[in-house]
Amino acid sequence: MSRRSKEHHYVPKVLQRQFLADGDFIWYSARDQSGSYCAPYPKHIDKCFVRRNYYTILARMMPSDIVEKNYYGDIDNYLGGVLPEISRALEQDRVPTFHGGALNSIRRVVIEMTKRTPEYASKIDEEAVGQRVVEDTLADLCDDMSDEERQSMQDVLHQPDRLKELGRTVRVRSIIQHSDEVNDALRGLSVHWTKITTHHSYILSSLTTYRIGNGGSNGLSNPDAEIWMPVSPKHALVLARNIEGRLPPIVVDPPHHVRQVNEHAARHSNEIASHSRKLIESLAGRGADTNRIEKMKGAGVLPSHW
């Protein structure tokens, strides 16, 4: 049996690698208990945008990493294959194009990246959800249970960790469910790209994708809604409705709008990262954590040139 995966990235390392500062490190900042961003510091991408057991579910009442390995593993493998091709094309001023099944795949992946983030499920109380599952099971199946089964279920109500496992299973399974309504809306979206021609750059955030309503709702029912996903410091993928072919395949993003996109990301995310120390400091609102950096260098975690 293979070892169960427990460290789950919601921003895959294949995407983080497009934003590296040096080696496998990226400038990183996360919100602290006060809600403010901590002083930025270099962090290895193995430890960035990751939570323990975030996608673990109960399968036959045992913890399973099937969603992490089979579902998100497939998405990460897809991105690992397509992102380098996209970067090469954009760097050469070629338009990455998608048609047929490839177009369906890229649209689907952008939506899955939107849903997999902790911000998407931030309002879910997993323990409360688990409690409702147990209570509903007892109410619906109580007469069909043996005394031993009934008592076992009632005991779970006094086990917070078990309730959280049940609630997490509900949360994960609900998020990976496909919706016919969403699929229909996706079919109306075409793929476009932005590029930055100045020294400005996009950041990477735990939000991963940004839904923009352009004056209306940011839901897919709004014909003017767009979904942005930065794929490198200089480029973003944009899903939008190209009514009457008015949208060009590649748009130059002006500096003031790049800043707005970054500020939106920082405002609605709990973690932000960048290849640029200066950029992440400006968005975190504070200078880098020099004490932490010196300790990391002294321990050999960071190279001396940092």
Side-chain angles (χ1 to χ4, degrees):
M1 294 179 64
S2 61
R3 188 176 181 180
R4 181 167 67 87
S5 171
K6 297 179 182 179
E7 302 298 324
H8 301 166
H9 285 83
Y10 35 89
V11 179
K13 289 191 287 184
V14 294
L15 180 55
Q16 293 187 56
R17 287 195 180 97
Q18 308 300 312
F19 294 80
L20 290 176
D22 190 8
D24 282 333
F25 287 86
I26 191 169
W27 281 101
Y28 171 87
S29 180
R31 294 190 188 276
D32 56 27
Q33 292 182 345
S34 71
S36 300
Y37 280 106
C38 72
Y41 62 97
K43 193 170 185 177
H44 198 283
I45 60 172
D46 283 349
K47 304 297 183 182
C48 282
F49 303 111
V50 61
R51 285 190 187 180
R52 192 170 177 82
N53 286 316
Y54 190 62
Y55 303 121
T56 296
I57 64 170
L58 292 175
R60 298 179 180 177
M61 299 311 293
M62 292 295 293
S64 169
D65 62 0
I66 188 172
V67 172
E68 165 67 7
K69 284 188 173 179
N70 293 1
Y71 192 81
Y72 289 118
D74 286 348
I75 290 174
D76 295 352
N77 289 338
Y78 170 85
L79 289 172
V82 76
L83 283 177
E85 295 180 9
I86 289 172
S87 294
R88 280 193 295 269
L90 291 170
E91 287 167 2
Q92 297 170 7
D93 286 328
R94 293 187 290 110
V95 179
T97 56
F98 296 83
H99 303 284
L103 177 58
N104 290 334
S105 293
I106 193 72
R107 290 187 297 210
R108 187 76 249 170
V109 164
V110 171
I111 290 298
E112 295 305 320
M113 293 294 290
T114 300
K115 296 192 299 177
R116 73 188 288 183
T117 175
E119 282 81 354
Y120 184 85
S122 62
K123 296 181 180 179
I124 296 177
D125 183 333
E126 292 178 353
E127 184 176 344
V129 171
Q131 181 174 333
R132 286 199 297 273
V133 169
V134 174
E135 290 173 344
D136 290 347
T137 301
L138 284 169
D140 294 341
L141 302 177
C142 185
D143 293 339
D144 299 322
M145 292 180 178
S146 66
D147 291 343
E148 183 178 356
E149 290 172 330
R150 190 180 305 110
Q151 185 59 54
S152 178
M153 288 293 292
Q154 290 173 340
D155 289 343
V156 172
L157 290 172
H158 305 288
Q159 301 172 21
D161 288 345
R162 196 64 171 168
L163 292 175
K164 288 179 182 178
E165 286 183 323
L166 289 168
R168 183 176 63 212
T169 299
V170 172
R171 186 255 302 166
V172 173
R173 288 192 179 280
S174 65
I175 284 175
I176 65 174
Q177 289 293 321
H178 290 190
S179 161
D180 290 339
E181 183 179 356
V182 170
N183 290 337
D184 289 342
L186 284 177
R187 280 191 279 271
L189 300 178
S190 55
V191 175
H192 303 267
W193 308 93
T194 67
K195 69 176 180 179
I196 300 172
T197 58
T198 63
H199 68 277
H200 301 80
S201 299
Y202 298 118
I203 65 167
L204 187 62
S205 77
S206 53
L207 198 62
T208 311
T209 69
Y210 319 133
R211 291 181 291 172
I212 298 173
N214 290 311
S217 165
N218 65 5
L220 292 179
S221 59
N222 174 13
D224 296 322
E226 300 172 352
I227 304 176
W228 286 54
M229 185 173 111
V231 294
S232 78
K234 296 296 184 183
H235 299 98
L237 183 162
V238 180
L239 293 183
R241 288 178 177 82
N242 192 12
I243 301 173
E244 298 179 356
R246 292 180 301 202
L247 293 177
I250 299 181
V251 175
V252 175
D253 204 4
H256 74 276
H257 188 261
V258 174
R259 184 66 184 185
Q260 289 176 356
V261 171
N262 286 338
E263 288 177 344
H264 173 90
R267 187 165 55 251
H268 295 285
S269 301
N270 291 311
E271 301 162 86
I272 53 177
S274 173
H275 73 295
S276 167
R277 170 176 173 170
K278 182 179 179 181
L279 176 55
I280 209 69
E281 285 178 334
S282 73
L283 289 165
R286 57 200 307 181
D289 188 339
T290 54
N291 289 333
R292 185 195 290 257
I293 293 170
E294 290 304 316
K295 288 180 180 178
M296 292 171 72
K297 286 164 52 174
V301 177
L302 281 178
S304 59
H305 64 265
W306 276 86

